[in-house]
Amino acid sequence: MKKRIRIKDIADKAGVSTGTVDRVLHNRGKVAPDVKKRVLAVMDELGYERNLIASALAYNKQVRIVALLPNPTQDPYWQQTTDGVQQAIKAVQHYGLLVEPVYFDVFDAKDFLVRAKELLQTKPQAMLFPPLFLEAAGWLLEACAAAAIPTVLINTQLEQGKSLCYIGQDSYQSGVLGARLLDFGLQQGQTACILNLDFQTASAQHLHKKEAGFRDYFSAHPQKQIQIIRQDFEGFQDVNKCLVFIKQLLDTHPKLAGIFVTNSRAYKVLECLKQLPERNIKIVGFDLLEANLEHLHAGEIHFLINQNPVEQGYEGVMSLFKHLILKQPVEPLQYLPLDIVVKENVDYYLQRHATLEVLGKTL
Amino acid sequence: MKKRIRIKDIADKAGVSTGTVDRVLHNRGKVAPDVKKRVLAVMDELGYERNLIASALAYNKQVRIVALLPNPTQDPYWQQTTDGVQQAIKAVQHYGLLVEPVYFDVFDAKDFLVRAKELLQTKPQAMLFPPLFLEAAGWLLEACAAAAIPTVLINTQLEQGKSLCYIGQDSYQSGVLGARLLDFGLQQGQTACILNLDFQTASAQHLHKKEAGFRDYFSAHPQKQIQIIRQDFEGFQDVNKCLVFIKQLLDTHPKLAGIFVTNSRAYKVLECLKQLPERNIKIVGFDLLEANLEHLHAGEIHFLINQNPVEQGYEGVMSLFKHLILKQPVEPLQYLPLDIVVKENVDYYLQRHATLEVLGKTL
DNA sequence: TTTCTTTGTGTGTGCGAACACACTAAAGAT
DNA sequence: ATCTTTAGTGTGTTCGCACACACAAAGAAA
């Protein structure tokens, strides 16, 4: 082991006490400028690195943070994110980080705001949330900044600067990738559909970026002359409405041969397709939800792109752990990989979810 | 924070001292059977979990382990594994784990044996290596077992039992996946080639498994009537020999339209193809080597399957860290995901390599 | 009985950092 | 002239655990 430099070593060499070195380290002030300079010089010379283990042990404080998440019972996608957060909670709960999950109605921006305001009253020391509702999230970010509460954003990327970090996928690129994957199954002159099964209000720009990526891919690959259409549909919760919509979509576009479902609800489309006369439609969707996996195994979903919702939740909490407890710097932009998932490699991604490590992942 | 149960809490409740609890915890013996039973009962009742942070701090011992790896200058694939090991070394060096990398000639089983024997003399407290040479590796495993030296295997899977854990890909399944990916680019009646650019001695069974997976996929999908051939070629280091070989391969099989290169040397094939009259051959290969990435970006490699060599090295060392320092249980079989990589998602995997975390990954 | 082992148990110290607290000296207030 | 304040610094305790050591009791050998 390279002999580790301790605070005491610095203190000795600089001719001060460990207390002074500590004050320099933590910017607690009350150090004479020349002494501070000397200490810093010695630290630099000896190459001091904080011993995270000893540091974490001695920093014996409780930190309470809040994870404001969509109600997981409303959407299996958010269930996965919640799972990731829960795993992280288990990992860090004994080390001074108390994570309080709070759920809002995924379809209701007002509910998000109400919860957010309530939570701010309780003065958490950090917040984690997906900024699904642009305005409300913007307001919350401002409020947190004003109260000096660090924030971690997941799932939906806003411009950087206001938050400690963003963890999630690169939407634009996921659109490009979706196009590439769908392209494998398309023939000359066929039609591909970008399908937004969502409420417009929620994550609008998010989806726009995916669309842009998708279109840009086909612009850059005009050989097959694929025609691209886009459909937005909000009634996906009602099976009958959904059926009518899909039927009409197919009827209107006889050359339609591929659908890019821009979020995790590809299974909704397949529920409908099954009830209609068979037609060879390639589907590219997102995320390893149970419902999607069934169709993937049945060969009805062509590809799934894994946005790693579990990891988003897990890494989100872990980033705050690093920031607040370990006091390590945090990477402000953490794009998670866009995993291409087919039947033949899905197991390994599912397995990974099962074993996100505890002390294994953060020490 | 859930009030953490400490050793002292157990001691109090069981009416013994912390020293006794400690002896029970670490099986140091010298505890009366009835006392031991009582302590265990209390531990169970209160749900004790060791505080890994305090534990790691107090366990103030130096542990030396050895990583016996192929010479990274001989093969860029092993350079990546070495990179992962190096990153892990940085992460753990201050926490009592001294990792000593030693390199052997990747083409020479004898060299492996010689190094292994030398290393055994130095009595390392654990070993990490890829069992490339079946016999030599088997011998080393036995020797380590005899000396009670735990071993971690990476890259090439042997039957479990002799080692602490295996970290790497599932070879069979990677063959299946390779077939699936190649299948996208093949037409009715074409020929696909399994190409082993390797020395037979090294990793023979490893490659056999890939072949089996590959063949099984096409057996299960006979619709396109793909004919499968296999070629082994050892002269891949000599550009001219290689060219002759590829030329002959193409000439002999006019319907050849896809090549599955079973290791990371797909770029070798492309070097040759470029010098031959153009012919549309789909290539599926392994691993994100610089040379492969160039061809991926140029669209000449159809797909790459990422076997995560960096992670193999990194996680290998980390597993030993967990075992030896943190004394956490280690998952004996750690299949890394088989990432499907195309131009559109490659960046995220490369980025991940750059940011394998330090304390971030193991706490 | 005395002495030596063996077995079982408690005590004490160290790990490195964080932080509360005590203390000093000098400046400022009354 | 005395008291108060404050900047600057050192000391000591704490965190939870690991492990060496001390020590007692009980049994064995003399």
Side-chain angles (χ1 to χ4, degrees):
Chain A
M1 167 158 61
K2 259 188 215 157
K3 183 71 188 147
R4 178 135 202 160
I5 305 299
R6 300 162 302 167
I7 281 191
K8 185 154 191 327
D9 301 323
I10 312 234
D12 290 349
K13 184 140 190 177
V16 294
S17 75
T18 60
T20 302
V21 176
D22 178 72
R23 276 183 284 270
V24 173
L25 269 172
H26 296 84
N27 276 310
R28 286 192 229 285
K30 317 233 172 180
V31 179
D34 58 321
V35 175
K36 179 168 181 176
K37 211 168 153 187
R38 195 168 74 233
V39 170
L40 285 174
V42 173
M43 272 175 47
D44 199 52
E45 184 191 337
L46 298 184
Y48 173 76
E49 288 175 59
R50 206 157 47 96
N51 183 328
L52 290 179
I53 293 186
S55 175
L57 180 65
Y59 183 74
N60 192 28
K61 277 205 171 43
Q62 184 72 272
V63 176
R64 192 180 63 89
I65 69 173
V66 162
L68 184 53
L69 302 169
N71 188 331
T73 62
Q74 290 181 301
D75 187 334
Y77 176 80
W78 292 108
Q79 179 62 56
Q80 298 211 338
T81 306
T82 306
D83 289 348
V85 169
Q86 292 292 349
Q87 288 190 48
I89 289 177
K90 268 195 198 162
V92 301
Q93 66 180 347
H94 298 303
Y95 304 101
L97 191 62
L98 176 69
V99 186
E100 187 181 324
V102 174
Y103 303 109
F104 64 86
D105 185 329
V106 69
F107 303 122
D108 184 356
K110 265 196 189 140
D111 189 50
F112 176 85
L113 259 189
V114 171
R115 306 277 175 183
K117 279 178 185 162
E118 282 174 16
L119 289 175
L120 280 178
Q121 298 300 318
T122 69
K123 296 194 192 299
Q125 282 159 282
M127 287 197 76
L128 166 77
F129 60 92
L132 296 186
F133 310 108
L134 203 54
E135 281 177 70
W139 177 87
L140 180 53
L141 272 178
E142 292 291 347
C144 285
I149 296 174
T151 52
V152 166
L153 301 183
I154 59 171
N155 191 73
T156 306
Q157 187 175 9
L158 303 185
E159 70 294 1
Q160 274 308 111
K162 307 255 164 157
S163 55
L164 180 67
C165 69
Y166 165 71
I167 298 170
Q169 76 285 19
D170 179 346
S171 298
Y172 175 85
Q173 197 60 27
S174 75
V176 176
L177 182 61
R180 166 76 191 262
L181 297 178
L182 200 52
D183 194 17
F184 282 120
L186 296 179
Q187 309 288 330
Q188 184 86 17
Q190 289 184 322
T191 299
C193 174
I194 301 164
L195 180 55
N196 294 318
L197 290 181
D198 208 330
F199 292 86
Q200 292 177 327
T201 47
S203 51
Q205 57 153 25
H206 187 226
L207 299 182
H208 281 146
K209 283 190 197 164
K210 282 190 187 172
E211 178 176 346
F214 190 88
R215 288 185 184 275
D216 284 357
Y217 173 87
F218 281 108
S219 300
H221 299 78
Q223 303 88 341
K224 286 193 191 168
Q225 299 174 307
I226 303 297
Q227 194 202 336
I228 296 168
I229 59 170
R230 178 185 126 196
Q231 294 284 306
D232 300 337
F233 182 62
E234 301 195 0
F236 58 85
Q237 286 182 302
D238 182 328
V239 182
N240 289 326
K241 273 194 194 167
C242 209
L243 193 60
V244 171
F245 167 76
I246 295 287
K247 185 163 163 34
Q248 195 183 338
L249 178 66
L250 295 184
D251 291 348
T252 321
H253 302 278
K255 286 190 176 172
L256 184 67
I259 301 180
F260 176 50
V261 184
T262 56
N263 58 26
S264 62
R265 303 199 178 96
Y267 60 95
K268 293 272 180 193
V269 176
L270 282 154
E271 283 169 12
C272 298
L273 282 179
K274 280 204 163 171
Q275 301 194 32
L276 295 169
E278 183 153 342
R279 191 162 144 188
N280 184 14
I281 306 272
K282 308 285 186 190
I283 308 274
V284 170
F286 283 91
D287 299 313
L288 309 183
L289 310 185
E290 284 286 344
N292 283 339
L293 292 177
E294 274 176 39
H295 296 294
L296 185 73
H297 276 112
E300 298 155 355
I301 286 184
H302 207 49
F303 285 103
L304 284 174
I305 299 172
N306 182 15
Q307 301 184 102
N308 288 290
V310 182
E311 282 75 11
Q312 287 185 26
Y314 183 86
E315 296 294 339
V317 172
M318 277 308 179
S319 288
L320 282 171
F321 179 68
K322 277 198 273 186
H323 179 67
L324 296 168
I325 305 294
L326 300 179
K327 296 177 179 165
Q328 281 188 289
V330 169
E331 184 65 38
L333 195 56
Q334 300 180 44
Y335 281 136
L336 295 176
L338 295 167
D339 299 315
I340 302 172
V341 180
V342 294
K343 188 170 48 174
E344 285 78 10
N345 71 340
V346 64
D347 288 345
Y348 306 100
Y349 293 109
L350 295 176
Q351 179 190 311
R352 187 170 63 184
H353 288 178
T355 60
L356 277 181
E357 313 175 30
V358 181
L359 255 181
K361 275 268 177 184
T362 307
L363 181 65
Chain B
M1 166 156 66
K2 260 190 214 157
K3 184 71 189 147
R4 177 132 204 167
I5 305 299
R6 299 163 304 169
I7 283 190
K8 184 154 192 328
D9 300 323
I10 312 246
D12 289 349
K13 184 140 188 176
V16 295
S17 75
T18 59
T20 303
V21 176
D22 177 74
R23 277 183 284 269
V24 173
L25 270 172
H26 297 84
N27 277 310
R28 287 192 229 285
K30 314 241 174 181
V31 179
D34 57 322
V35 174
K36 178 167 182 176
K37 211 168 152 187
R38 196 166 76 233
V39 170
L40 285 173
V42 173
M43 273 176 47
D44 200 52
E45 185 191 337
L46 298 185
Y48 173 77
E49 290 174 59
R50 205 158 47 97
N51 185 325
L52 291 179
I53 294 187
S55 174
L57 180 64
Y59 183 75
N60 194 27
K61 275 204 172 46
Q62 183 73 270
V63 175
R64 192 180 63 90
I65 70 174
V66 161
L68 184 53
L69 302 170
N71 189 332
T73 62
Q74 291 182 301
D75 187 334
Y77 176 80
W78 292 108
Q79 180 62 58
Q80 298 212 339
T81 307
T82 306
D83 289 348
V85 169
Q86 292 292 349
Q87 288 190 47
I89 289 177
K90 268 194 196 163
V92 301
Q93 67 180 347
H94 295 304
Y95 303 102
L97 191 62
L98 176 70
V99 187
E100 187 181 325
V102 174
Y103 304 110
F104 64 86
D105 185 330
V106 68
F107 303 122
D108 184 355
K110 263 195 190 143
D111 189 50
F112 176 86
L113 259 188
V114 170
R115 306 278 174 180
K117 278 179 185 161
E118 281 173 16
L119 289 174
L120 280 177
Q121 299 300 318
T122 68
K123 296 194 192 298
Q125 280 158 284
M127 286 197 78
L128 165 76
F129 60 93
L132 295 185
F133 310 108
L134 202 54
E135 280 176 71
W139 177 86
L140 180 53
L141 272 178
E142 292 290 349
C144 286
I149 296 175
T151 52
V152 166
L153 301 182
I154 60 172
N155 191 72
T156 306
Q157 186 174 9
L158 302 185
E159 71 292 1
Q160 275 308 111
K162 307 254 163 154
S163 55
L164 180 66
C165 67
Y166 165 70
I167 298 170
Q169 76 283 19
D170 179 346
S171 297
Y172 175 84
Q173 197 61 27
S174 74
V176 176
L177 182 60
R180 166 75 192 263
L181 297 178
L182 201 53
D183 193 17
F184 281 120
L186 296 179
Q187 309 288 329
Q188 185 84 21
Q190 290 184 318
T191 298
C193 174
I194 301 165
L195 181 54
N196 294 318
L197 289 182
D198 208 332
F199 292 87
Q200 292 177 329
T201 46
S203 50
Q205 56 153 25
H206 186 226
L207 299 181
H208 282 148
K209 282 189 197 164
K210 281 190 188 174
E211 179 176 349
F214 190 88
R215 289 184 183 276
D216 285 357
Y217 173 87
F218 282 108
S219 301
H221 299 77
Q223 302 90 340
K224 286 194 193 166
Q225 300 173 305
I226 303 298
Q227 194 203 335
I228 297 169
I229 60 170
R230 178 186 123 195
Q231 295 285 308
D232 300 335
F233 182 63
E234 301 194 0
F236 56 87
Q237 287 183 301
D238 181 329
V239 181
N240 289 327
K241 272 195 195 167
C242 208
L243 194 60
V244 171
F245 166 76
I246 295 285
K247 185 163 163 33
Q248 193 182 341
L249 177 65
L250 294 185
D251 291 348
T252 321
H253 301 278
K255 287 190 176 173
L256 184 67
I259 301 181
F260 176 50
V261 185
T262 55
N263 58 26
S264 61
R265 303 195 179 100
Y267 60 95
K268 294 271 181 194
V269 176
L270 282 154
E271 284 169 11
C272 298
L273 282 180
K274 281 202 162 175
Q275 302 194 31
L276 295 170
E278 183 152 342
R279 190 161 144 189
N280 184 15
I281 305 271
K282 308 286 186 190
I283 308 274
V284 170
F286 283 90
D287 299 315
L288 310 183
L289 310 185
E290 285 286 344
N292 283 339
L293 292 177
E294 274 175 40
H295 295 294
L296 185 72
H297 276 111
E300 298 155 355
I301 286 185
H302 207 48
F303 285 102
L304 283 174
I305 299 173
N306 181 15
Q307 301 183 102
N308 288 291
V310 182
E311 282 75 10
Q312 287 185 28
Y314 184 85
E315 296 293 339
V317 173
M318 277 307 178
S319 289
L320 282 171
F321 179 67
K322 278 198 273 186
H323 179 67
L324 296 169
I325 306 294
L326 300 179
K327 296 179 181 165
Q328 280 188 293
V330 169
E331 185 64 40
L333 196 56
Q334 300 179 45
Y335 282 136
L336 295 177
L338 297 166
D339 298 315
I340 303 171
V341 180
V342 294
K343 187 170 48 173
E344 286 78 10
N345 72 339
V346 65
D347 288 345
Y348 306 101
Y349 293 109
L350 295 177
Q351 179 189 312
R352 186 169 64 184
H353 288 179
T355 61
L356 277 181
E357 314 176 28
V358 182
L359 256 183
K361 275 268 175 182
T362 307
L363 180 64

